[in-house]
Amino acid sequence: MLRELVIYGDERLQQVSEKIEKVDDEILTLIDDMFETMYKERGVGLAAVQIGILKRLIVISVPDLDDEKKPDFKLALINPEIIWHSDEMEILEEGCLSFPEIRDDVARYQKIKVKYLDKQGNEQILEAEDYIAKVLQHEIDHTNGISFIDRLESYQKRRLKKELKELRNSTVRNIKKIQNRETLKNS
């Protein structure tokens, strides 16, 4: 089922997500919904908080940039945690489904190791590098209440100030409209 994206200005994006205690049918359905929503929005990663669910869950589907014939690297990670990272960092332009049309360069570790639970509830360790490592870092940040704009340098934030303010104000207005409709329904 398609879910609605949470957009910048919604306070949930700044909250730390809760650990998932049990992989059950509800979590597996959520994973399916997240993939469906991510594909519809043309993303390569999505954290549960981006659809308003404060659970430590991310999905990724990253194309092989060198070989278009290879299938996407597709994975759901429950309670993902970076347990190691290289010293080397790489700067790559990032965007985010929760920040439509806003992009900028972000420094990320070139290589990482991530501990997580798979869909069967088994602990796994994934070694990732380059683009996949960057996507994982971006999505894991979301589970910790961190957005890619929090990783920007101050000059980058100043440059994006107007766009971010407009986006936040638009989101706040939409949230208030929804709350007003709910209040009218319940009266």
Side-chain angles (χ1 to χ4, degrees), residues 149-162:
I149 61 164
D150 297 322
R151 299 277 183 204
L152 299 178
E153 299 291 334
S154 57
Y155 76 91
Q156 293 171 295
K157 289 178 186 177
R158 281 193 303 273
R159 190 176 60 224
L160 294 172
K161 187 176 182 177
K162 181 181 176 192

PDB file of all heavy atoms in Angstrom, residues 149-162:
ATOM      1  N   ILE A 149      20.405  17.658   5.371  1.00  0.00           N
ATOM      2  CA  ILE A 149      20.746  19.088   5.525  1.00  0.00           C
ATOM      3  C   ILE A 149      21.501  19.345   6.829  1.00  0.00           C
ATOM      4  O   ILE A 149      22.243  20.312   6.932  1.00  0.00           O
ATOM      5  CB  ILE A 149      19.512  20.010   5.427  1.00  0.00           C
ATOM      6  CG1 ILE A 149      18.504  19.697   6.514  1.00  0.00           C
ATOM      7  CG2 ILE A 149      18.913  19.963   4.035  1.00  0.00           C
ATOM      8  CD1 ILE A 149      17.482  20.792   6.707  1.00  0.00           C
ATOM      9  N   ASP A 150      21.343  18.448   7.815  1.00  0.00           N
ATOM     10  CA  ASP A 150      22.101  18.575   9.064  1.00  0.00           C
ATOM     11  C   ASP A 150      23.583  18.291   8.829  1.00  0.00           C
ATOM     12  O   ASP A 150      24.418  18.663   9.656  1.00  0.00           O
ATOM     13  CB  ASP A 150      21.558  17.611  10.128  1.00  0.00           C
ATOM     14  CG  ASP A 150      20.125  17.918  10.500  1.00  0.00           C
ATOM     15  OD1 ASP A 150      19.768  19.111  10.582  1.00  0.00           O
ATOM     16  OD2 ASP A 150      19.342  16.962  10.705  1.00  0.00           O
ATOM     17  N   ARG A 151      23.905  17.641   7.744  1.00  0.00           N
ATOM     18  CA  ARG A 151      25.299  17.301   7.408  1.00  0.00           C
ATOM     19  C   ARG A 151      25.964  18.374   6.532  1.00  0.00           C
ATOM     20  O   ARG A 151      27.139  18.267   6.205  1.00  0.00           O
ATOM     21  CB  ARG A 151      25.346  15.970   6.658  1.00  0.00           C
ATOM     22  CG  ARG A 151      24.817  14.796   7.448  1.00  0.00           C
ATOM     23  CD  ARG A 151      25.865  14.243   8.345  1.00  0.00           C
ATOM     24  NE  ARG A 151      25.377  13.057   9.052  1.00  0.00           N
ATOM     25  CZ  ARG A 151      25.877  12.656  10.193  1.00  0.00           C
ATOM     26  NH1 ARG A 151      26.861  13.332  10.749  1.00  0.00           N
ATOM     27  NH2 ARG A 151      25.405  11.593  10.785  1.00  0.00           N
ATOM     28  N   LEU A 152      25.204  19.383   6.134  1.00  0.00           N
ATOM     29  CA  LEU A 152      25.745  20.418   5.258  1.00  0.00           C
ATOM     30  C   LEU A 152      26.587  21.419   6.037  1.00  0.00           C
ATOM     31  O   LEU A 152      26.370  21.645   7.225  1.00  0.00           O
ATOM     32  CB  LEU A 152      24.611  21.168   4.543  1.00  0.00           C
ATOM     33  CG  LEU A 152      23.701  20.340   3.637  1.00  0.00           C
ATOM     34  CD1 LEU A 152      22.613  21.234   3.044  1.00  0.00           C
ATOM     35  CD2 LEU A 152      24.495  19.653   2.543  1.00  0.00           C
ATOM     36  N   GLU A 153      27.523  22.023   5.330  1.00  0.00           N
ATOM     37  CA  GLU A 153      28.323  23.110   5.899  1.00  0.00           C
ATOM     38  C   GLU A 153      27.430  24.345   6.029  1.00  0.00           C
ATOM     39  O   GLU A 153      26.429  24.476   5.324  1.00  0.00           O
ATOM     40  CB  GLU A 153      29.515  23.411   4.985  1.00  0.00           C
ATOM     41  CG  GLU A 153      30.463  22.249   4.783  1.00  0.00           C
ATOM     42  CD  GLU A 153      31.251  21.896   6.036  1.00  0.00           C
ATOM     43  OE1 GLU A 153      31.452  22.790   6.893  1.00  0.00           O
ATOM     44  OE2 GLU A 153      31.654  20.725   6.162  1.00  0.00           O
ATOM     45  N   SER A 154      27.822  25.278   6.886  1.00  0.00           N
ATOM     46  CA  SER A 154      26.988  26.460   7.137  1.00  0.00           C
ATOM     47  C   SER A 154      26.770  27.287   5.867  1.00  0.00           C
ATOM     48  O   SER A 154      25.675  27.805   5.642  1.00  0.00           O
ATOM     49  CB  SER A 154      27.572  27.320   8.254  1.00  0.00           C
ATOM     50  OG  SER A 154      28.888  27.696   7.947  1.00  0.00           O
ATOM     51  N   TYR A 155      27.776  27.383   5.009  1.00  0.00           N
ATOM     52  CA  TYR A 155      27.593  28.159   3.773  1.00  0.00           C
ATOM     53  C   TYR A 155      26.563  27.492   2.852  1.00  0.00           C
ATOM     54  O   TYR A 155      25.822  28.170   2.146  1.00  0.00           O
ATOM     55  CB  TYR A 155      28.923  28.367   3.040  1.00  0.00           C
ATOM     56  CG  TYR A 155      29.446  27.161   2.298  1.00  0.00           C
ATOM     57  CD1 TYR A 155      29.112  26.940   0.961  1.00  0.00           C
ATOM     58  CD2 TYR A 155      30.279  26.243   2.920  1.00  0.00           C
ATOM     59  CE1 TYR A 155      29.572  25.832   0.273  1.00  0.00           C
ATOM     60  CE2 TYR A 155      30.751  25.134   2.243  1.00  0.00           C
ATOM     61  CZ  TYR A 155      30.398  24.930   0.933  1.00  0.00           C
ATOM     62  OH  TYR A 155      30.857  23.836   0.252  1.00  0.00           O
ATOM     63  N   GLN A 156      26.508  26.153   2.885  1.00  0.00           N
ATOM     64  CA  GLN A 156      25.520  25.444   2.076  1.00  0.00           C
ATOM     65  C   GLN A 156      24.107  25.701   2.613  1.00  0.00           C
ATOM     66  O   GLN A 156      23.185  25.920   1.849  1.00  0.00           O
ATOM     67  CB  GLN A 156      25.800  23.934   2.078  1.00  0.00           C
ATOM     68  CG  GLN A 156      27.075  23.531   1.368  1.00  0.00           C
ATOM     69  CD  GLN A 156      27.387  22.075   1.590  1.00  0.00           C
ATOM     70  OE1 GLN A 156      27.664  21.649   2.706  1.00  0.00           O
ATOM     71  NE2 GLN A 156      27.333  21.293   0.507  1.00  0.00           N
ATOM     72  N   LYS A 157      23.984  25.674   3.932  1.00  0.00           N
ATOM     73  CA  LYS A 157      22.674  25.931   4.546  1.00  0.00           C
ATOM     74  C   LYS A 157      22.203  27.346   4.243  1.00  0.00           C
ATOM     75  O   LYS A 157      21.017  27.560   3.971  1.00  0.00           O
ATOM     76  CB  LYS A 157      22.738  25.705   6.054  1.00  0.00           C
ATOM     77  CG  LYS A 157      22.881  24.253   6.439  1.00  0.00           C
ATOM     78  CD  LYS A 157      22.976  24.108   7.948  1.00  0.00           C
ATOM     79  CE  LYS A 157      23.276  22.678   8.329  1.00  0.00           C
ATOM     80  NZ  LYS A 157      23.444  22.521   9.771  1.00  0.00           N
ATOM     81  N   ARG A 158      23.119  28.293   4.278  1.00  0.00           N
ATOM     82  CA  ARG A 158      22.746  29.689   3.961  1.00  0.00           C
ATOM     83  C   ARG A 158      22.240  29.786   2.530  1.00  0.00           C
ATOM     84  O   ARG A 158      21.278  30.476   2.239  1.00  0.00           O
ATOM     85  CB  ARG A 158      23.927  30.633   4.179  1.00  0.00           C
ATOM     86  CG  ARG A 158      24.161  31.000   5.629  1.00  0.00           C
ATOM     87  CD  ARG A 158      25.126  32.166   5.786  1.00  0.00           C
ATOM     88  NE  ARG A 158      26.426  31.942   5.172  1.00  0.00           N
ATOM     89  CZ  ARG A 158      27.457  31.338   5.769  1.00  0.00           C
ATOM     90  NH1 ARG A 158      27.338  30.887   7.006  1.00  0.00           N
ATOM     91  NH2 ARG A 158      28.604  31.191   5.151  1.00  0.00           N
ATOM     92  N   ARG A 159      22.895  29.075   1.628  1.00  0.00           N
ATOM     93  CA  ARG A 159      22.518  29.100   0.218  1.00  0.00           C
ATOM     94  C   ARG A 159      21.117  28.508   0.000  1.00  0.00           C
ATOM     95  O   ARG A 159      20.378  28.935  -0.882  1.00  0.00           O
ATOM     96  CB  ARG A 159      23.569  28.338  -0.593  1.00  0.00           C
ATOM     97  CG  ARG A 159      23.425  28.494  -2.093  1.00  0.00           C
ATOM     98  CD  ARG A 159      24.535  27.806  -2.855  1.00  0.00           C
ATOM     99  NE  ARG A 159      24.565  26.387  -2.572  1.00  0.00           N
ATOM    100  CZ  ARG A 159      25.666  25.691  -2.338  1.00  0.00           C
ATOM    101  NH1 ARG A 159      26.836  26.268  -2.338  1.00  0.00           N
ATOM    102  NH2 ARG A 159      25.623  24.406  -2.089  1.00  0.00           N
ATOM    103  N   LEU A 160      20.748  27.533   0.829  1.00  0.00           N
ATOM    104  CA  LEU A 160      19.453  26.861   0.689  1.00  0.00           C
ATOM    105  C   LEU A 160      18.382  27.430   1.617  1.00  0.00           C
ATOM    106  O   LEU A 160      17.251  26.934   1.633  1.00  0.00           O
ATOM    107  CB  LEU A 160      19.608  25.362   0.994  1.00  0.00           C
ATOM    108  CG  LEU A 160      20.459  24.563   0.018  1.00  0.00           C
ATOM    109  CD1 LEU A 160      20.691  23.163   0.553  1.00  0.00           C
ATOM    110  CD2 LEU A 160      19.806  24.517  -1.352  1.00  0.00           C
ATOM    111  N   LYS A 161      18.723  28.451   2.366  1.00  0.00           N
ATOM    112  CA  LYS A 161      17.832  28.974   3.406  1.00  0.00           C
ATOM    113  C   LYS A 161      16.433  29.303   2.882  1.00  0.00           C
ATOM    114  O   LYS A 161      15.429  28.907   3.476  1.00  0.00           O
ATOM    115  CB  LYS A 161      18.457  30.213   4.052  1.00  0.00           C
ATOM    116  CG  LYS A 161      17.700  30.732   5.242  1.00  0.00           C
ATOM    117  CD  LYS A 161      18.437  31.896   5.882  1.00  0.00           C
ATOM    118  CE  LYS A 161      17.673  32.373   7.105  1.00  0.00           C
ATOM    119  NZ  LYS A 161      18.378  33.443   7.787  1.00  0.00           N
ATOM    120  N   LYS A 162      16.347  29.999   1.761  1.00  0.00           N
ATOM    121  CA  LYS A 162      15.051  30.416   1.227  1.00  0.00           C
ATOM    122  C   LYS A 162      14.202  29.196   0.844  1.00  0.00           C
ATOM    123  O   LYS A 162      13.027  29.109   1.214  1.00  0.00           O
ATOM    124  CB  LYS A 162      15.241  31.328   0.014  1.00  0.00           C
ATOM    125  CG  LYS A 162      13.939  31.815  -0.590  1.00  0.00           C
ATOM    126  CD  LYS A 162      14.177  32.680  -1.803  1.00  0.00           C
ATOM    127  CE  LYS A 162      12.849  33.065  -2.438  1.00  0.00           C
ATOM    128  NZ  LYS A 162      13.027  33.652  -3.744  1.00  0.00           N
TER     129      LYS A 162
END
